[in-house]
Amino acid sequence: MGLNVHFLKERWNNSEMAKRFANVFMAVCLMLALLPFYGGGQAQAAEADVIEVEAAPADGSIDPEGPRKPIDYINRDLAGLNNFIALFSESFSDVVTVPKFAVAVQVDASFKVLHVVNPSINGATPVWEPNPVDLPVPAGGFVLLAQDDSYATRGFKKFLATNFKIGDIIKLRKNGEVVALADIIPSVSTAAVRITSPLMQTTLTGSATVAGSVVNYTYGQGYSLSACGTPVDIAADGSFSQSVALTAGTNYIDVVLSQDGREIDRKSVIVYWKTNVSNEPKEVLLWVDQGTNAKNLTTSESVLRLLTKAKEAGITGVVFDVKGYEGFASYKKNDLTGRPYVSNMTGPNRAGANPDLDLLEEFIKHGHALGLKIHAAMNVFAEGSMEENAVLDAHPDWEERVYRPEDNGAIVPIRQSAAPNKVVAFVNPANDEVREYQLKSFEEVIKNYDIDGINLDRARYDSDFADFSEQTRQKFTQYLQERGKTLGAWPDDVYKIVYDANGQAKRVEGPHYIDWWAFRASTIENFTRELRGIVDSYSALKGKRILMSTYVGSWYDTLYMNGINWASPDFRYDPRLGFAESRIYTDDYYKTGYIRNLDFIMIGTYQSTQAEIEKYATLGNILTRNEIPMYASIALANIAEPELQRSVFQSGLTSTDGLMLFEYSLANFDIIKASLENRTYVKTYQLGISKPADRNSFIEGTYLDVNRNENNLNVFTRNFGTHTNTSTYGVEISVDGQGKVSDTRNKQQAINWVWSPIEPNNSPIPEGGFVISAMDPSGVRTLRQLVANAYSIGDTVRAAVLRGFLDYDGKTFSGKKVEIAGTVEVLGYGEDVKVLINGKKAKVDKKTHAFWDKVKIEPGENTFKIEVFVDGWKTNEKTVTLIGANR
């Protein structure tokens, strides 16, 4: 899909961004240890706050977040210091002198990168400036400066040099939340408004509370505050809170601070009052990615198992990838296109699908029997990866032509481009043959299968550098002629890429730069309108309404670069929305909004904090104007912590019309069920694995037979399936039916921390055995090295699940004795189970492994240690506290 599971998983495993989790603790320690002095005597971020700079994402079409790195110093004289990233605002200096062999980034007040000193070109080491560079600090902006003693190994200079380019929009974060520069470096003496309530929110009631404070406020100095023109009381400490009446739809609330009648500051709060709220249960859709899952869904039973778990967790429907981005089909009735089946894939992470199983047919058969709706999703204009494709090689003219800085001014097919980080090969949406083929792909699915809906994914251009083919030139020429305009130089009339002496690229706009974005968006809108006609005709023919939906990123303000205008045609841009490029929103562009061709829309609120998820859900409401149902799409990997997931789910169900959960291989259905039911998730068991080097020690696991996510050390048995369905960069240890380690994946890579050659995970689960599977955030070694160092081929391993201890922990009991009971589930091989309670052997049923024993308790707290041994190997230990009632 738009954020494919390969990218979702691998960006955490490969990118600098994911390292923020490892860096947070380091950054806090560094800031406390160095106690940096922030210049100017200003009220600054607290020393314990983690301040980060976030670069633009590598591919903004599929990811809302870019790589992050902590800022070590703010507005400080750095003489004698090394190995840091520093930030300087205009309150510190008008100019920052960038030393030789340092890297600096100049950022304006709108967070746009204006210049990079000593950038990396195509990943190479910078061509260093021969002399120090004086870099002005833009008004309202800042300069980032990185210095270290090794470009190759330290990572400070390299982070700025490789991740920041002219024209990028970047972010600052404070403790994970996106903030303005003023939230890090507030003014010294000028009174200003600070809003503490959400700046963008959705409400179901007719009023909203706007709260905050006036900083640098002094009573009696003639200050006054208003919200929407209504006076607001300012408390003695500068705080304020005001209830504001709303109108249905979008409300822009201007909070204005004046002194002696003269406006000195203004902040805007945007509230969407959602009025058409249905009392019907809301849809919760689960996305099932083709590339990640098809190789494991090899039997009818495996599909049924997946769907049964989903149904039990509260899922109401499934969005199944019937065409992945490589172009292969997950359906076999392909009479209109002859598109190859997914079993023809050969990549190491893709091969293995069952050629005799029609996956879409299985999803429909079992899904409908369970009462689930089945939506067939297609990666519309994606037709290959860099490694393999289904049809692209047979149609080279279909491949998009890109005009990118890395290609020295040449227009080339995407697979021949020198662009970094290429994953997906797109075809040209303006090519008539391409469009016809994609329409027929949808039609053969609608015609031949009893689906409930179709979903468009990647119904867009690859990037802002595509497409510059001859077909597109002709279509753009016609588009301009219809508007009384003429295309002259190509591609210069759109833009021209120029290079400075260091090879740093800059895009120079041509006379039809703005027309270009509307033309591309109209190309996508026209395609959705054509597809709508096909869907409607088959709905009438079959006597069943077939729904048409799309998945898009929620970060609408940058998606014009991909030809995506998923707003209502009646949406009108307001500067208070703060989009980076307001010139885009012309009358021609507004007309390209395509939601009226859809039945519902799923927007990727894939941000990693609840505040940002709620902000972008509100933006979705503003853009769609309640014209069609809008679902918040949640990246399960980003909100794996149970209480956060519960809170995010409930917020999404309140402020939008439903949820889409991305994706099955990342789903913990027990946590999903609790989150949807709005209850606290409690894990009722302890999972433990013996350590071969020490019979009296064990490793505690995270989850049993649950999809592995980051910070997980899981065990998979055949109850999960035949394979672990995990991505690359984890460590997996296979234990056979005799309790011996039979295979290891990435053991040595994790120990040496050299991830080449890589060994894909997705281990086969031995019959009668299990697989131990560990994954950390990228750059973190903890769980992977723990498992890698603990287990080797031939080692004896036992594993067990301990249950029952929650019946006692923290509970109060009367009487002098209490019977403690529980169960032990042996995973894989194991014959003899022994349970000790405070060192005393408990009674154990040899068949069920239930255990029990009576223990003496005294008034007050009593602690009891429960230990489990399987065949003499310790697998579990849990200490519980029983409260004895006063007697």
Side-chain angles (χ1 to χ4, degrees), residues 822-863:
T823 60
V824 174
E825 178 188 356
V826 176
L827 307 177
Y829 182 80
E831 295 183 328
D832 178 61
V833 174
K834 181 172 71 173
V835 179
L836 302 180
I837 302 177
N838 277 0
K840 179 186 174 185
K841 194 172 180 179
K843 299 177 182 64
V844 179
D845 185 288
K846 289 187 177 182
K847 289 185 178 181
T848 65
H849 298 151
F851 67 88
W852 65 95
D853 197 17
K854 287 190 175 182
V855 298
K856 293 176 60 177
I857 64 169
E858 301 293 336
E861 291 189 356
N862 299 258
T863 59

Short mmCIF file of all heavy atoms in Angstrom, two decimals, residues 822-863:
data_model
loop_
_atom_site.label_atom_id
_atom_site.label_comp_id
_atom_site.label_asym_id
_atom_site.label_seq_id
_atom_site.Cartn_x
_atom_site.Cartn_y
_atom_site.Cartn_z
N GLY A 822 -1.84 -22.92 39.44
CA GLY A 822 -1.62 -22.37 38.11
C GLY A 822 -1.39 -23.49 37.12
O GLY A 822 -1.59 -24.67 37.44
N THR A 823 -0.95 -23.11 35.92
CA THR A 823 -0.65 -24.11 34.90
C THR A 823 0.67 -23.77 34.22
O THR A 823 1.06 -22.60 34.13
CB THR A 823 -1.75 -24.20 33.83
OG1 THR A 823 -1.89 -22.94 33.19
CG2 THR A 823 -3.07 -24.62 34.43
N VAL A 824 1.29 -24.80 33.71
CA VAL A 824 2.49 -24.66 32.90
C VAL A 824 2.21 -25.30 31.55
O VAL A 824 1.82 -26.46 31.48
CB VAL A 824 3.72 -25.33 33.56
CG1 VAL A 824 4.91 -25.28 32.62
CG2 VAL A 824 4.04 -24.67 34.89
N GLU A 825 2.38 -24.53 30.48
CA GLU A 825 2.25 -25.07 29.13
C GLU A 825 3.64 -25.21 28.54
O GLU A 825 4.34 -24.21 28.31
CB GLU A 825 1.42 -24.14 28.26
CG GLU A 825 1.28 -24.62 26.82
CD GLU A 825 0.62 -23.61 25.91
OE1 GLU A 825 0.18 -22.55 26.41
OE2 GLU A 825 0.54 -23.87 24.69
N VAL A 826 4.04 -26.43 28.31
CA VAL A 826 5.36 -26.67 27.71
C VAL A 826 5.25 -26.45 26.21
O VAL A 826 4.35 -26.96 25.55
CB VAL A 826 5.84 -28.10 28.02
CG1 VAL A 826 7.17 -28.37 27.31
CG2 VAL A 826 6.00 -28.30 29.52
N LEU A 827 6.16 -25.67 25.68
CA LEU A 827 6.21 -25.40 24.25
C LEU A 827 7.26 -26.32 23.62
O LEU A 827 8.41 -26.34 24.04
CB LEU A 827 6.57 -23.93 23.99
CG LEU A 827 5.72 -22.89 24.71
CD1 LEU A 827 6.23 -21.49 24.43
CD2 LEU A 827 4.25 -23.02 24.32
N GLY A 828 6.84 -27.07 22.61
CA GLY A 828 7.78 -28.00 22.00
C GLY A 828 8.05 -29.18 22.90
O GLY A 828 7.18 -29.65 23.65
N TYR A 829 9.28 -29.69 22.86
CA TYR A 829 9.65 -30.90 23.59
C TYR A 829 9.85 -30.60 25.07
O TYR A 829 10.41 -29.57 25.45
CB TYR A 829 10.92 -31.49 23.01
CG TYR A 829 11.35 -32.78 23.67
CD1 TYR A 829 10.75 -33.98 23.33
CD2 TYR A 829 12.33 -32.78 24.67
CE1 TYR A 829 11.13 -35.17 23.93
CE2 TYR A 829 12.72 -33.95 25.27
CZ TYR A 829 12.12 -35.14 24.91
OH TYR A 829 12.50 -36.30 25.52
N GLY A 830 9.39 -31.52 25.92
CA GLY A 830 9.60 -31.41 27.36
C GLY A 830 8.81 -32.49 28.07
O GLY A 830 7.61 -32.65 27.81
N GLU A 831 9.47 -33.25 28.95
CA GLU A 831 8.81 -34.38 29.59
C GLU A 831 8.49 -34.13 31.06
O GLU A 831 7.39 -34.42 31.52
CB GLU A 831 9.69 -35.63 29.45
CG GLU A 831 9.87 -36.09 28.02
CD GLU A 831 10.69 -37.36 27.91
OE1 GLU A 831 11.60 -37.55 28.75
OE2 GLU A 831 10.43 -38.17 27.01
N ASP A 832 9.44 -33.62 31.80
CA ASP A 832 9.28 -33.49 33.25
C ASP A 832 9.13 -32.02 33.63
O ASP A 832 9.97 -31.19 33.29
CB ASP A 832 10.48 -34.08 33.97
CG ASP A 832 10.37 -33.91 35.48
OD1 ASP A 832 9.41 -34.44 36.06
OD2 ASP A 832 11.23 -33.22 36.06
N VAL A 833 8.04 -31.70 34.33
CA VAL A 833 7.80 -30.33 34.77
C VAL A 833 7.86 -30.28 36.29
O VAL A 833 7.16 -31.05 36.97
CB VAL A 833 6.43 -29.82 34.29
CG1 VAL A 833 6.13 -28.45 34.90
CG2 VAL A 833 6.39 -29.74 32.77
N LYS A 834 8.69 -29.39 36.81
CA LYS A 834 8.80 -29.20 38.26
C LYS A 834 8.52 -27.73 38.57
O LYS A 834 9.03 -26.84 37.89
CB LYS A 834 10.20 -29.57 38.74
CG LYS A 834 10.38 -29.40 40.25
CD LYS A 834 11.71 -29.96 40.73
CE LYS A 834 12.86 -29.09 40.29
NZ LYS A 834 14.15 -29.51 40.89
N VAL A 835 7.69 -27.50 39.60
CA VAL A 835 7.36 -26.14 40.03
C VAL A 835 7.75 -25.99 41.49
O VAL A 835 7.38 -26.82 42.33
CB VAL A 835 5.86 -25.84 39.85
CG1 VAL A 835 5.53 -24.43 40.34
CG2 VAL A 835 5.44 -26.00 38.39
N LEU A 836 8.49 -24.94 41.79
CA LEU A 836 8.86 -24.61 43.16
C LEU A 836 8.16 -23.33 43.57
O LEU A 836 8.11 -22.36 42.80
CB LEU A 836 10.37 -24.41 43.28
CG LEU A 836 11.28 -25.57 42.85
CD1 LEU A 836 12.74 -25.19 43.04
CD2 LEU A 836 10.95 -26.83 43.65
N ILE A 837 7.62 -23.32 44.79
CA ILE A 837 7.04 -22.12 45.36
C ILE A 837 7.82 -21.81 46.63
O ILE A 837 7.80 -22.57 47.60
CB ILE A 837 5.54 -22.29 45.67
CG1 ILE A 837 4.77 -22.65 44.40
CG2 ILE A 837 4.98 -21.01 46.28
CD1 ILE A 837 3.29 -22.90 44.61
N ASN A 838 8.58 -20.72 46.56
CA ASN A 838 9.53 -20.37 47.62
C ASN A 838 10.44 -21.54 47.96
O ASN A 838 10.73 -21.85 49.11
CB ASN A 838 8.81 -19.87 48.87
CG ASN A 838 8.45 -18.39 48.78
OD1 ASN A 838 8.75 -17.73 47.78
ND2 ASN A 838 7.81 -17.86 49.81
N GLY A 839 10.89 -22.20 46.91
CA GLY A 839 11.86 -23.28 47.05
C GLY A 839 11.28 -24.63 47.38
O GLY A 839 12.00 -25.65 47.34
N LYS A 840 9.98 -24.68 47.64
CA LYS A 840 9.33 -25.94 47.99
C LYS A 840 8.63 -26.52 46.76
O LYS A 840 7.95 -25.80 46.03
CB LYS A 840 8.31 -25.71 49.10
CG LYS A 840 7.56 -26.98 49.51
CD LYS A 840 6.46 -26.66 50.51
CE LYS A 840 5.61 -27.88 50.83
NZ LYS A 840 4.48 -27.54 51.71
N LYS A 841 8.78 -27.80 46.54
CA LYS A 841 8.21 -28.44 45.36
C LYS A 841 6.70 -28.50 45.47
O LYS A 841 6.13 -28.99 46.45
CB LYS A 841 8.79 -29.85 45.24
CG LYS A 841 8.53 -30.50 43.90
CD LYS A 841 9.30 -31.81 43.80
CE LYS A 841 9.05 -32.49 42.46
NZ LYS A 841 9.81 -33.76 42.34
N ALA A 842 6.01 -27.98 44.45
CA ALA A 842 4.55 -28.01 44.40
C ALA A 842 4.09 -29.29 43.73
O ALA A 842 4.86 -29.98 43.06
CB ALA A 842 4.02 -26.79 43.65
N LYS A 843 2.81 -29.62 43.92
CA LYS A 843 2.22 -30.78 43.25
C LYS A 843 1.96 -30.40 41.79
O LYS A 843 1.45 -29.31 41.51
CB LYS A 843 0.93 -31.20 43.94
CG LYS A 843 1.12 -31.60 45.40
CD LYS A 843 -0.22 -31.93 46.04
CE LYS A 843 -0.04 -32.28 47.51
NZ LYS A 843 0.49 -31.14 48.30
N VAL A 844 2.26 -31.30 40.84
CA VAL A 844 2.09 -31.05 39.41
C VAL A 844 1.39 -32.24 38.77
O VAL A 844 1.82 -33.39 38.94
CB VAL A 844 3.44 -30.81 38.71
CG1 VAL A 844 3.23 -30.59 37.21
CG2 VAL A 844 4.18 -29.63 39.32
N ASP A 845 0.30 -31.99 38.06
CA ASP A 845 -0.38 -33.03 37.30
C ASP A 845 0.47 -33.37 36.08
O ASP A 845 0.80 -32.49 35.28
CB ASP A 845 -1.76 -32.54 36.87
CG ASP A 845 -2.56 -33.63 36.18
OD1 ASP A 845 -2.22 -33.97 35.03
OD2 ASP A 845 -3.54 -34.12 36.77
N LYS A 846 0.82 -34.63 35.90
CA LYS A 846 1.75 -35.01 34.85
C LYS A 846 1.17 -34.83 33.45
O LYS A 846 1.91 -34.64 32.48
CB LYS A 846 2.18 -36.46 35.04
CG LYS A 846 3.10 -36.66 36.24
CD LYS A 846 3.64 -38.09 36.30
CE LYS A 846 4.62 -38.25 37.45
NZ LYS A 846 5.18 -39.63 37.49
N LYS A 847 -0.17 -34.87 33.33
CA LYS A 847 -0.77 -34.72 32.01
C LYS A 847 -1.04 -33.26 31.66
O LYS A 847 -0.71 -32.79 30.57
CB LYS A 847 -2.07 -35.53 31.94
CG LYS A 847 -1.86 -37.04 31.92
CD LYS A 847 -3.19 -37.75 31.74
CE LYS A 847 -2.99 -39.27 31.66
NZ LYS A 847 -4.29 -39.99 31.47
N THR A 848 -1.66 -32.53 32.58
CA THR A 848 -2.07 -31.16 32.29
C THR A 848 -1.03 -30.12 32.69
O THR A 848 -1.11 -28.98 32.27
CB THR A 848 -3.38 -30.84 33.01
OG1 THR A 848 -3.16 -30.86 34.43
CG2 THR A 848 -4.46 -31.83 32.65
N HIS A 849 -0.08 -30.55 33.55
CA HIS A 849 0.93 -29.64 34.09
C HIS A 849 0.30 -28.55 34.94
O HIS A 849 0.89 -27.47 35.11
CB HIS A 849 1.81 -29.04 33.01
CG HIS A 849 2.59 -30.07 32.25
ND1 HIS A 849 2.97 -29.91 30.95
CD2 HIS A 849 3.06 -31.30 32.62
CE1 HIS A 849 3.64 -30.97 30.52
NE2 HIS A 849 3.70 -31.83 31.54
N ALA A 850 -0.90 -28.80 35.45
CA ALA A 850 -1.46 -27.91 36.46
C ALA A 850 -0.68 -28.14 37.76
O ALA A 850 -0.25 -29.24 38.06
CB ALA A 850 -2.94 -28.21 36.67
N PHE A 851 -0.50 -27.06 38.52
CA PHE A 851 0.23 -27.19 39.79
C PHE A 851 -0.54 -26.48 40.90
O PHE A 851 -1.35 -25.58 40.65
CB PHE A 851 1.65 -26.62 39.67
CG PHE A 851 1.70 -25.12 39.47
CD1 PHE A 851 1.72 -24.24 40.56
CD2 PHE A 851 1.74 -24.57 38.18
CE1 PHE A 851 1.76 -22.87 40.38
CE2 PHE A 851 1.78 -23.19 37.99
CZ PHE A 851 1.80 -22.34 39.09
N TRP A 852 -0.26 -26.90 42.14
CA TRP A 852 -0.90 -26.30 43.29
C TRP A 852 -0.11 -26.62 44.55
O TRP A 852 0.62 -27.60 44.62
CB TRP A 852 -2.34 -26.79 43.42
CG TRP A 852 -2.47 -28.27 43.71
CD1 TRP A 852 -2.62 -28.85 44.93
CD2 TRP A 852 -2.43 -29.34 42.75
NE1 TRP A 852 -2.69 -30.22 44.82
CE2 TRP A 852 -2.58 -30.54 43.48
CE3 TRP A 852 -2.29 -29.39 41.37
CZ2 TRP A 852 -2.58 -31.79 42.86
CZ3 TRP A 852 -2.31 -30.62 40.75
CH2 TRP A 852 -2.45 -31.81 41.49
N ASP A 853 -0.27 -25.75 45.54
CA ASP A 853 0.32 -25.99 46.85
C ASP A 853 -0.25 -24.98 47.82
O ASP A 853 -0.60 -23.86 47.42
CB ASP A 853 1.84 -25.88 46.81
CG ASP A 853 2.48 -26.53 48.03
OD1 ASP A 853 1.78 -27.31 48.72
OD2 ASP A 853 3.65 -26.25 48.29
N LYS A 854 -0.37 -25.36 49.09
CA LYS A 854 -0.84 -24.44 50.12
C LYS A 854 0.36 -23.77 50.78
O LYS A 854 1.37 -24.40 51.07
CB LYS A 854 -1.68 -25.18 51.16
CG LYS A 854 -3.06 -25.57 50.65
CD LYS A 854 -3.95 -26.08 51.77
CE LYS A 854 -5.37 -26.34 51.25
NZ LYS A 854 -6.26 -26.79 52.33
N VAL A 855 0.20 -22.46 50.97
CA VAL A 855 1.29 -21.70 51.59
C VAL A 855 0.73 -20.93 52.78
O VAL A 855 -0.44 -20.57 52.82
CB VAL A 855 1.91 -20.71 50.58
CG1 VAL A 855 2.54 -21.45 49.40
CG2 VAL A 855 0.88 -19.70 50.08
N LYS A 856 1.59 -20.71 53.75
CA LYS A 856 1.20 -19.93 54.92
C LYS A 856 1.39 -18.45 54.63
O LYS A 856 2.37 -18.05 54.01
CB LYS A 856 2.07 -20.32 56.12
CG LYS A 856 1.84 -21.75 56.61
CD LYS A 856 2.80 -22.11 57.72
CE LYS A 856 2.64 -21.18 58.91
NZ LYS A 856 3.53 -21.58 60.04
N ILE A 857 0.41 -17.62 55.05
CA ILE A 857 0.57 -16.18 54.90
C ILE A 857 0.33 -15.49 56.24
O ILE A 857 -0.45 -15.96 57.07
CB ILE A 857 -0.38 -15.59 53.83
CG1 ILE A 857 -1.86 -15.75 54.23
CG2 ILE A 857 -0.13 -16.19 52.48
CD1 ILE A 857 -2.79 -14.94 53.33
N GLU A 858 1.03 -14.39 56.42
CA GLU A 858 0.91 -13.57 57.62
C GLU A 858 0.16 -12.29 57.25
O GLU A 858 0.06 -11.93 56.07
CB GLU A 858 2.30 -13.21 58.16
CG GLU A 858 3.16 -14.40 58.52
CD GLU A 858 2.61 -15.19 59.71
OE1 GLU A 858 1.86 -14.58 60.51
OE2 GLU A 858 2.92 -16.39 59.82
N PRO A 859 -0.39 -11.59 58.24
CA PRO A 859 -1.01 -10.30 57.94
C PRO A 859 -0.02 -9.35 57.26
O PRO A 859 1.16 -9.33 57.60
CB PRO A 859 -1.43 -9.77 59.32
CG PRO A 859 -1.60 -11.00 60.15
CD PRO A 859 -0.55 -11.96 59.67
N GLY A 860 -0.50 -8.61 56.25
CA GLY A 860 0.38 -7.71 55.51
C GLY A 860 0.88 -8.38 54.23
O GLY A 860 0.29 -9.33 53.72
N GLU A 861 2.00 -7.89 53.72
CA GLU A 861 2.53 -8.39 52.45
C GLU A 861 3.32 -9.67 52.64
O GLU A 861 4.14 -9.79 53.54
CB GLU A 861 3.42 -7.33 51.79
CG GLU A 861 2.67 -6.11 51.29
CD GLU A 861 3.55 -5.20 50.46
OE1 GLU A 861 4.77 -5.49 50.35
OE2 GLU A 861 3.04 -4.19 49.93
N ASN A 862 3.06 -10.62 51.73
CA ASN A 862 3.79 -11.88 51.69
C ASN A 862 4.24 -12.12 50.26
O ASN A 862 3.42 -12.06 49.34
CB ASN A 862 2.90 -13.05 52.12
CG ASN A 862 2.39 -12.91 53.55
OD1 ASN A 862 2.87 -13.54 54.45
ND2 ASN A 862 1.35 -12.08 53.72
N THR A 863 5.52 -12.37 50.05
CA THR A 863 6.02 -12.60 48.69
C THR A 863 6.30 -14.07 48.49
O THR A 863 6.84 -14.75 49.38
CB THR A 863 7.28 -11.78 48.40
OG1 THR A 863 8.30 -12.12 49.34
CG2 THR A 863 6.99 -10.29 48.49
#
